[in-house]
Amino acid sequence: MKLFRILFPCLFICTALFAQKKNEAYQYHIRQTQPTDRTPHIKIDGVMDEQAWLEAETATDFFMALPMDTSFAKLRTDVKMTYDQQNFYIIAVCYYPRRPDSSWANRPFVQSLRRDWEFQKNDNFIFFLDPFDDQTNGFTFGANAVGAQWDGLLYDGGRANLSWDNKWYSVVKQYEDRYVFEAAIPFKSIRYKKGITRWGINFSRNDLLTTEKSSWAPVPRQFPTASLAYTGSIIWDQAPPQVGPNISVIPYVLGGLSRDYQSEKPTAFRGDAGVDAKVAVTSSLNLDLTVNPDFSQVDVDQQVTNLDRFELFFPERRQFFLENGDQISNFGYANIRPFFSRRIGLGVPIRFGARLSGKLNKDWRIGLMDMQTGKVDETGLPAQNFAVMALQRRVFSRSNIGVILINKESLNYEPELGKPTYSKYNRNFGLEYNLASSNNVWTGKVLLLKSFDPQNSNRSLVHAANLLYTTRKWIIGWQHEYVGQNYSAEVGYVPRRGYVKFNPTASYLILPKGGSVLSHGPQLSSVHIYDESFRKTDSETMALYTTTFRSKSVFSVWASQSYIRLLAPFDPTNTGRDTLARGTEHRWKTIGADYISKPQSLFTYSFSARYGGYYADGTRLNLATSLGYRFQPYVSLAMSANYNEIRLPEPLSTAKFWLVGPRIDLTMTNSLFFTTFVQYNEQAKNVNLNTRLQWRYAPVSDLFIVYTDNYLPGSLSVKNRALVLKLTYWWNV
């Protein structure tokens, strides 16, 4: 707690030192368009021929963010905005440079026509809206150079959650010397507060041929252009319109067949229906409702080789949990999450749920959620209720204080003889302070958590804090954690308990003035973990050197030294073989290298390799690669492969296993997508085939056909098989 007394005042001091918005001088004055016979409604066609565009201001003279941030951008980009009573309109003209050589044959560079593509692998234009001008939360929209849309929620000052989709309209039109992005964003699709006449905004352009990334309001190269700390401002000529009743109803119907071949059960038919609804309580506060939701169309998780002693984390992909989900789901740290929404509906049906989330005003955010799951007779799992309340208050310019209360309750439950026993309730209370200075140089967090359940009360506290200093050349950080042995978060993700952890990091960046190298430099990190008696259980010290080339390819080499004292018996191959005894100590050294090729090539690749010691004086060799080829913009082929060879002394077993995942993405149009993904996991003894056809026949309305197979490796005999057809429709009331 001594560190807490030192770090907590430092966080407040750092916040107070930087209290003014950085890009206050970058302002865009937006005026309402009034359609008449002479100035008709804006048509979203990529042609700037309406009178409203001729009369609108132009944002131009973008600044370069990469490869350097010390000059104006070489590529010209012009942006105009206007609005009417229903929509916010934007048009961006992205000029190409003169055509110097044959590399123009592949222009533009894009992955596919699929929505929410990877930023670094596409020529694109995107923009960032901060309707509360609080430099913390907002929205992002845009498209790549062939018109594939990008939209997402911004949180934590500039991180993007691209799993969020909403209804809006855009077109990209190609010309000889430019491409033009034009879009209409309905005011009903975003959240903002009545009467506010200043919003934060920034525009970003990425061009792979020149490797230039630029933005309208300048952003230092060490931060993403999505960083809301560096937005300019939209100055509205009057407060944005209130759009009246804003209710969306999203019903679905589903039919499916499934069969479990291993248990020799007959084919089962499944028919189902449900509905989601979105109700705008105010223009900045949203109520989400769901009855009998189904998430069968959600992308399959990408499997990983698991050699860890603790549970792995897979992110939430279900749409219902995403909007404003950061306030609840991101409470805490990556490995100390008191709430993790994937715990809800894990192998059990969700009957209904409700979530109220958004802004009460510029300083206050609220998140309330209640979910009800059904009973599972086969296992004795009772019906359960999950309730969450989170409240957040902004302090200083961009920092905030948040509280959270989580309650998991088993309803009408009494344990049954011969069946697993479940807890009657589990509750968590948390308090955190999030630091973010106005220029983003100082960031950090202080966290306190306490759990309550019938069995445990002592040693059920969590305390953690971190502080990060980021400049163009230096990144220096400190983090420490304490998790009590009896801390319990049944609706959270806390893979380890009963430890104290210290984690200092430092890196330095060298920026050459010319040549093929853009930047290079070392990074040093160290992790030390102790039990509650302050006896060391784990440590790892790593030295890393990274070189980034102007082509955007990246090469890294590293070396590490590790120590582990096992707290429980452990199979170091995670294949169900021999285990090492609890209390045994293991030390080893490892070296490794990683390379990522330049993204503008049609053929892209990456590789990583590591070799060194392992548990019980053994050795581990790991080789991994990822290959990709695209036939722009319709076909994208990918192959990932991961090989592990673990050699252990007698009498322990040696293991060799592959994880291979070929993938085909076919995007026939901006609304018709076909994906086939195969995963051969030798460690898990499973081959998975997942095929999905998606037809977006109307905005945010889809037909899905999903086919899934699981096989045994070697014989390829079928374990189980399923076919699902699902239809959704987004209906605005």
Side-chain angles (χ1 to χ4, degrees):
M1 299 300 288
K2 183 177 180 180
L3 285 169
F4 172 80
R5 293 195 296 269
I6 296 173
L7 274 178
F8 195 70
C10 288
L11 296 179
F12 276 102
I13 292 170
C14 293
T15 302
L17 287 175
F18 306 96
Q20 184 178 359
K21 186 173 178 177
K22 297 301 294 181
N23 286 329
E24 185 67 31
Y26 294 87
Q27 298 182 355
Y28 185 99
H29 294 83
I30 190 171
R31 295 189 294 272
Q32 182 177 0
T33 178
Q34 298 286 351
T36 65
D37 292 339
R38 189 175 67 89
T39 59
H41 281 286
I42 291 176
K43 182 179 179 182
I44 306 302
D45 56 3
V47 180
M48 195 164 49
D49 56 356
E50 291 89 355
Q51 187 67 26
W53 289 136
L54 300 178
E55 295 174 353
E57 265 188 28
T58 302
T60 189
D61 295 331
F62 278 38
F63 287 85
M64 189 185 297
L66 288 174
M68 298 301 294
D69 59 359
T70 55
S71 67
F72 284 103
K74 295 180 180 178
L75 299 185
R76 177 183 166 189
T77 307
D78 295 340
V79 182
K80 293 174 178 284
M81 295 181 291
T82 187
Y83 72 101
D84 58 24
Q85 288 298 304
Q86 288 75 41
N87 299 309
F88 167 81
Y89 299 98
I90 183 170
I91 193 166
V93 184
C94 303
Y95 290 93
Y96 295 136
R98 293 181 180 178
R99 301 191 171 194
D101 53 45
S102 60
S103 61
W104 278 85
N106 296 318
R107 168 75 81 174
F109 295 96
V110 294
Q111 276 180 302
S112 69
L113 298 170
R114 181 178 292 278
R115 194 184 188 107
D116 296 332
W117 27 265
E118 293 181 59
F119 175 86
Q120 296 290 352
K121 296 183 178 180
N122 291 263
D123 290 343
N124 64 72
F125 173 86
I126 57 179
F127 63 98
F128 314 104
L129 277 176
D130 179 6
F132 283 83
D133 201 25
D134 62 3
Q135 302 110 63
T136 304
N137 298 92
F139 303 88
T140 178
F141 298 92
N144 67 11
V146 295
Q149 289 186 334
W150 155 298
D151 57 359
L153 297 173
L154 298 176
Y155 65 98
D156 281 358
R159 297 183 182 181
N161 185 340
L162 299 180
S163 297
W164 176 82
D165 287 343
N166 217 310
K167 186 177 287 190
W168 59 289
Y169 311 90
S170 68
V171 164
V172 168
K173 187 175 179 63
Q174 291 286 338
Y175 295 87
E176 180 71 17
D177 62 339
R178 66 195 186 280
Y179 66 90
V180 177
F181 163 78
E182 188 173 21
I185 315 294
F187 284 109
K188 288 186 175 184
S189 295
I190 53 179
R191 308 287 175 252
Y192 56 94
K193 188 66 177 176
K194 178 180 179 180
I196 292 180
T197 57
R198 178 188 290 260
W199 292 10
I201 195 163
N202 208 354
F203 317 110
S204 177
R205 166 110 182 259
N206 193 46
D207 186 84
L208 290 179
L209 182 62
T210 60
T211 69
E212 180 179 272
K213 182 172 74 170
S214 58
S215 62
W216 171 58
V219 180
R221 69 185 308 277
Q222 69 267 27
F223 301 122
T225 48
S227 178
L228 298 180
Y230 289 90
T231 55
S233 299
I234 302 178
I235 309 298
W236 297 80
D237 59 348
Q238 54 187 305
Q242 298 299 293
V243 292
N246 183 2
I247 301 174
S248 298
V249 179
I250 312 154
Y252 81 86
V253 292
L254 175 149
L257 300 170
S258 63
R259 184 174 179 181
D260 187 338
Y261 286 83
Q262 288 187 308
S263 60
E264 298 182 349
K265 291 183 178 179
T267 300
F269 172 76
R270 177 189 173 199
D272 218 340
V275 63
D276 291 345
K278 289 180 174 289
V279 181
V281 180
T282 70
S283 60
S284 59
L285 197 61
N286 195 69
L287 174 64
D288 288 277
L289 304 170
T290 187
V291 176
N292 196 31
D294 175 86
F295 307 105
S296 57
Q297 83 283 1
V298 173
D299 255 340
V300 63
D301 287 321
Q302 185 166 346
Q303 297 180 31
V304 296
T305 299
N306 181 13
L307 294 173
D308 201 276
R309 293 171 291 153
F310 305 101
E311 177 189 15
L312 299 180
F313 178 83
F314 292 93
E316 178 62 85
R317 300 174 182 270
R318 297 172 294 180
Q319 184 76 15
F320 178 83
F321 295 98
L322 296 176
E323 184 171 0
N324 293 316
D326 65 284
Q327 185 182 359
I328 298 175
S329 296
N330 292 336
F331 201 100
Y333 289 92
N335 288 319
I336 308 176
R337 299 175 187 265
F339 179 80
F340 179 37
S341 58
R342 286 187 66 147
R343 301 290 189 212
I344 302 175
L346 186 64
V348 300
I350 298 176
R351 297 306 186 198
F352 54 84
R355 184 163 57 89
L356 179 70
S357 62
K359 290 270 195 177
L360 297 175
N361 56 38
K362 188 173 182 178
D363 293 326
W364 288 95
R365 292 180 75 203
I366 191 171
L368 299 172
M369 189 179 75
D370 190 85
M371 303 292 291
Q372 180 70 46
T373 62
K375 183 178 180 180
V376 181
D377 293 328
E378 292 82 357
T379 62
L381 178 67
Q384 294 181 320
N385 181 265
F386 300 82
V388 185
M389 186 279 289
L391 193 63
Q392 192 178 85
R393 174 65 160 88
R394 189 173 76 133
V395 294
F396 303 110
S397 60
R398 299 181 57 239
S399 303
N400 62 71
I401 296 174
V403 295
I404 194 168
L405 178 63
I406 303 162
N407 182 57
K408 175 188 175 183
E409 194 97 17
S410 296
L411 306 178
N412 302 317
Y413 171 63
E414 290 297 334
E416 297 182 39
L417 188 64
K419 291 189 177 181
T421 301
Y422 302 94
S423 63
K424 289 195 173 184
Y425 69 84
N426 176 252
R427 294 170 187 143
N428 265 256
F429 174 77
L431 173 68
E432 69 176 16
Y433 170 68
N434 291 284
L435 160 74
S437 65
S438 64
N439 59 1
N440 227 36
V441 170
W442 292 95
T443 55
K445 176 181 289 193
V446 174
L447 171 71
L448 290 171
L449 293 170
K450 168 72 174 173
S451 67
F452 305 87
D453 58 49
Q455 287 77 35
N456 301 310
S457 58
N458 298 324
R459 299 164 65 194
S460 58
L461 281 170
V462 171
H463 160 64
N466 81 296
L467 185 62
L468 188 67
Y469 172 73
T470 306
T471 67
R472 293 180 77 239
K473 293 186 176 182
W474 283 101
I475 300 177
I476 301 174
W478 169 269
Q479 181 167 327
H480 68 266
E481 303 170 4
Y482 163 70
V483 179
Q485 182 63 48
N486 293 326
Y487 175 74
S488 175
E490 293 185 11
V491 200
Y493 176 76
V494 186
R496 185 168 185 167
R497 298 182 296 178
Y499 73 90
V500 180
K501 174 181 174 181
F502 302 99
N503 179 204
T505 61
S507 64
Y508 181 75
L509 203 60
I510 301 168
L511 304 170
K513 292 184 178 180
S516 61
V517 174
L518 175 62
S519 64
H520 61 96
Q523 177 181 335
L524 185 66
S525 64
S526 187
V527 178
H528 301 274
I529 302 177
Y530 303 82
D531 62 22
E532 291 178 288
S533 301
F534 267 89
R535 183 183 176 188
K536 183 176 286 190
T537 64
D538 304 71
S539 69
E540 181 179 68
T541 300
M542 174 181 285
L544 170 75
Y545 202 95
T546 300
T547 301
T548 302
F549 298 91
R550 292 186 184 273
S551 64
K552 294 191 176 180
S553 59
V554 181
F555 178 67
S556 301
V557 293
W558 57 271
S560 68
Q561 180 172 295
S562 303
Y563 164 79
I564 289 176
R565 177 169 58 86
L566 291 176
L567 303 177
F570 177 63
D571 168 17
T573 68
N574 262 353
T575 56
R577 304 188 184 189
D578 302 320
T579 60
L580 301 172
R582 175 182 178 178
T584 56
E585 297 184 341
H586 308 270
R587 295 177 174 85
W588 65 81
K589 298 178 181 179
T590 310
I591 58 172
D594 304 275
Y595 179 76
I596 302 173
S597 70
K598 60 182 182 180
Q600 56 267 46
S601 298
L602 295 180
F603 174 66
T604 58
Y605 58 94
S606 66
F607 74 81
S608 66
R610 60 174 289 165
Y611 179 77
Y614 201 53
Y615 291 90
D617 296 323
T619 62
R620 178 189 172 197
L621 170 67
N622 173 239
L623 301 173
T625 187
S626 177
L627 309 175
Y629 192 86
R630 60 184 188 268
F631 299 90
Q632 300 186 135
Y634 303 109
V635 181
S636 177
L637 307 177
M639 167 69 82
S640 62
N642 189 303
Y643 173 74
N644 275 278
E645 181 178 306
I646 297 174
R647 295 187 177 275
L648 302 172
E650 296 289 347
L652 299 172
S653 302
T654 293
K656 302 177 183 179
F657 42 84
W658 285 89
L659 174 62
V660 182
R663 182 183 182 112
I664 301 174
D665 274 303
L666 181 61
T667 55
M668 287 76 86
T669 69
N670 280 342
S671 58
L672 188 60
F673 316 115
F674 177 79
T675 301
T676 296
F677 191 22
V678 179
Q679 299 185 91
Y680 169 74
N681 190 333
E682 197 171 7
Q683 184 189 37
K685 298 179 176 60
N686 189 64
V687 180
N688 171 255
L689 168 66
N690 184 270
T691 298
R692 186 176 74 161
L693 177 69
Q694 177 185 359
W695 174 34
R696 178 148 287 187
Y697 62 91
V700 208
S701 304
D702 299 282
L703 171 67
F704 296 97
I705 301 175
V706 183
Y707 176 75
T708 303
D709 261 348
N710 285 288
Y711 304 88
L712 286 169
S715 65
L716 291 182
S717 58
V718 180
K719 296 164 65 176
N720 52 70
R721 177 172 289 164
L723 174 67
V724 173
L725 186 148
K726 181 178 180 181
L727 182 71
T728 69
Y729 181 71
W730 187 298
W731 176 39
N732 286 335
V733 178

